[in-house]
Amino acid sequence: MSVKELTEAYKGWLRYEKIEDQDWMNENGKWLSAIVSSGTCTTVIESAIEELIKAFTNMTGQKPALSDSVQSSYSIVLSKIEEGDDASNELNDDGYIIQAKKTDNGSAVLLAGKTDIGILYASFHLLRLIQTRTNLETVNLRENPTNQLRMINQWDNMDGSIERGYAGESIFYENNQFTNNLERIKDYARLLSSVGINGISINNVNVHAVETKLITNDFLPHVAKVAEIFRGYGIKTFLSVNYASPIQLGDLETADPLDDNVRNWWKEKVKDVYSYIPDFGGFVVKADSEHRPGPFTYGRNHADGSNMLAEALEPFGGIVIWRCFVYNCMQDWRDRKTDRARAAYDHFKPLDGQFHENVILQIKNGPMDFQVREAVSPLFGAMNETNQMLEFQITQEYTGQQKHVCYLIPQWKEILEFETYAKGEGTPIKRIVDGSTFKNRFSGITAVSNIGNDTNWTGHQLAQANLFGFGRLIWNPDLSVEEITNEWIHATFGNDPDVVEQVSIILKDSWPIYENYTSPLGVGWMVNPDHHYGPNVDGYEYSVWGTYHFADCDGIGVDRTVASGTGYTAQYFDENASMYESLDTCPDELLLFFHHVPYTHKLKSGKTVIQHIYDTHFEGVEQAIGLKERWSSLEGKVDQECYQNILDRLTGQIDHAKQWRDIINTYFLRKSGIQDEKNRTIY
């Protein structure tokens, strides 16, 4: 798609529609006619200026003047804050100031940062203020990102496919080569930078044979071209690497991390990478899980494996991001003492303090696998001498695969606010992963991307809200869900009050609605194997007879208690361990994650478990119908292509919700033998 053919859906939240609000323009339009940039024009500053010119031209219908000194009464001024300036002490390297200041003959809106990247972020923030029709006359903001590393993990393969991708093919690769469409990669960089993303790994963590060669001279020149694009938007490039690379690419017979030849091979390979990409971020590694190679093969542990790579990267300032998604997928899943939820903690907690300073452990938000509802990982806060970062999944693998609307910002907000008690009360997860609790050298948050080469990037246009919201939330975890939602809707759909209200309700309600008609009370899974879409109660790939829910004729749920189950609850700090251990205090929404109970067990709502299952699945369908009705009321008020895309997806969501309702309710009626109290038809 050429730049000239861009659709509204493709532009996402950077569409910069013409401002029709004449009252706002009368008050604020004067600042949008001139841009002043007096410093050195680096590639990052060029990106900021290009974005402002594009936006102001579209918003006002007139291209702004660009100069290196103030020439008009009103202007937007881009400025570097010098060391020693009072404002310098208030900002970190990515921080910025947006401030209206009086001048001799008018006023300027100052966009200032200690670095060029800070100025770029200020430019994008100014555009959000304009999109939400903020009055610029008195604007006075100081912003610093809370999290140091704010990252996206692409799960793209070089054949063009995307693992867990639901929006078309890769924008980076096709036919085992890099794409020639660098303009689209630039537009993606714009989207990411606009919400503060500063790192990206550009290939799948499951590194196959072709992708293993990304760190060779065959592909590094192409990686360097992509890195140059991202560099212009303040984003560092990372690569996922194959732990067995010394065998597959070199002439070695081992990948043992304590073997000197292996260590030297990686040191030389890292030198090659940095000769092409001097600001290369580092490596992302998935090892010893789901048949991926790793240090276990050689009797070594994860500290041994990651430290070897860390030593190679350290002279260049690079880091190793080592994923904690490690478990034995060949276990006997019929054994009720076997518990995948325990695996990450059991593997990594004993190694606390053994990892090098430039190793970060990347921990999924829950101990299982991005379910619609699961407990948070007990690893957060458990390793006070090890860098940790949090991993979310923007791509909706278990939450409707972008065929269903499922707004994940409320879920992520709950996770970030979760109280770990790692250092007593006042240590929520957001304060673990921002590095403040244990004074970590490196820390942050990452997520699996949800984009592909579909025209609207995410398949379901409402799924764009998850990408936007992820960036805004990890920049500032104290932002409310309402603030983030409001920003995205105004930037994407404009300022019609009815559109803002209805889309806000659709997004806000969508996660609990999806949970209602899928898996109940934190039990998770119940999906078809391999592709993970659609209901299949006993079908999950490692399940032999429903071992992710242990449903039988008497009850349902996984006993993870110390008293009678897997002992998983003991992995939490005492306050949470005791809460989850007891049926009296365990939250109902996680009841079946922690306890096996009879179908007649009464929830805190007063309903039995079986009646809750029936009711929520019927309610979920009706709620899905309600989502479509809300959206249908907006016909003619939003772009027609966007309207039809979302309408079609919501129609399909209703049909699929009915399928979930009928399969789940029928299964549990037959399993429990207990009738629905409301005598509804269950097939």
Side-chain angles (χ1 to χ4, degrees), residues 432-471:
I432 303 294
V433 299
D434 70 9
S436 62
T437 297
F438 299 120
K439 311 303 179 189
N440 301 108
R441 180 181 175 190
F442 294 106
S443 59
I445 302 177
T446 190
V448 184
S449 170
N450 68 339
I451 70 104
N453 68 359
D454 279 3
T455 302
N456 66 5
W457 297 95
T458 55
H460 196 314
Q461 184 150 0
L462 292 182
Q464 286 186 7
N466 285 327
L467 181 59
F468 175 93
F470 168 74

Side-chain angles (χ1 to χ4, degrees), residues 142-343:
R142 278 164 171 73
E143 285 268 334
N144 285 307
T146 298
N147 289 290
Q148 176 188 24
L149 186 56
R150 307 175 300 278
M151 190 171 175
I152 289 288
N153 287 180
Q154 298 294 139
W155 281 5
D156 297 39
N157 302 311
M158 290 193 69
D159 63 4
S161 65
I162 303 173
E163 184 172 336
R164 309 309 177 198
Y166 311 109
E169 298 291 292
S170 173
I171 68 167
F172 294 94
Y173 315 108
E174 53 189 25
N175 300 319
N176 292 322
Q177 298 292 330
F178 275 79
T179 181
N180 292 319
N181 187 359
L182 299 182
E183 193 66 27
R184 178 144 197 177
I185 295 176
K186 178 181 177 180
D187 285 334
Y188 186 39
R190 291 174 55 229
L191 288 168
L192 295 182
S193 184
S194 74
V195 291
I197 301 299
N198 66 355
I200 185 170
S201 58
I202 63 170
N203 64 299
N204 191 358
V205 294
N206 292 313
V207 185
H208 306 115
V210 177
E211 294 82 21
T212 298
K213 298 177 183 177
L214 282 171
I215 56 174
T216 70
N217 293 334
D218 290 343
F219 288 117
L220 278 171
H222 302 283
V223 177
K225 286 182 181 178
V226 171
E228 182 179 9
I229 294 170
F230 283 116
R231 184 181 302 117
Y233 287 89
I235 301 169
K236 281 194 173 186
T237 299
F238 293 71
L239 289 172
S240 296
V241 292
N242 183 342
Y243 196 83
S245 292
I247 299 171
Q248 296 194 17
L249 298 178
D251 56 1
L252 302 183
E253 295 181 354
T254 180
D256 183 348
L258 301 189
D259 185 287
D260 286 341
N261 291 324
V262 173
R263 299 167 85 89
N264 289 331
W265 186 92
W266 277 109
K267 288 176 181 177
E268 292 303 311
K269 183 53 62 182
V270 166
K271 286 181 185 177
D272 287 345
V273 174
Y274 279 91
S275 70
Y276 285 97
I277 312 164
D279 62 344
F280 181 69
F283 295 143
V284 178
V285 186
K286 176 180 177 180
D288 288 315
S289 187
E290 298 182 323
H291 309 293
R292 301 306 304 161
F296 285 3
T297 302
Y298 309 99
R300 315 303 185 190
N301 63 36
H302 291 288
D304 297 327
S306 59
N307 289 344
M308 172 196 65
L309 295 173
E311 289 172 4
L313 288 161
E314 197 276 334
F316 303 93
I319 59 177
V320 178
I321 300 173
W322 192 270
R323 296 180 84 239
C324 294
F325 185 56
V326 176
Y327 67 100
N328 180 4
C329 61
M330 302 306 292
Q331 292 177 97
D332 182 358
W333 299 94
R334 294 168 296 186
D335 182 353
R336 293 198 181 207
K337 295 294 184 182
T338 297
D339 190 358
R340 173 171 164 178
R342 291 186 56 105

Side-chain angles (χ1 to χ4, degrees), residues 553-565:
C553 62
D554 298 316
I556 179 177
V558 182
D559 185 350
R560 292 191 162 101
T561 66
V562 172
S564 55

Side-chain angles (χ1 to χ4, degrees), residues 632-661:
S632 297
S633 72
L634 301 179
E635 185 172 13
K637 295 187 175 185
V638 297
D639 175 74
Q640 182 58 34
E641 180 187 9
C642 166
Y643 174 80
Q644 196 61 49
N645 166 267
I646 295 174
L647 184 68
D648 291 345
R649 297 284 169 139
L650 291 173
T651 300
Q653 181 171 348
I654 292 168
D655 292 339
H656 207 234
K658 291 176 180 177
Q659 184 183 5
W660 271 97
R661 174 198 65 193

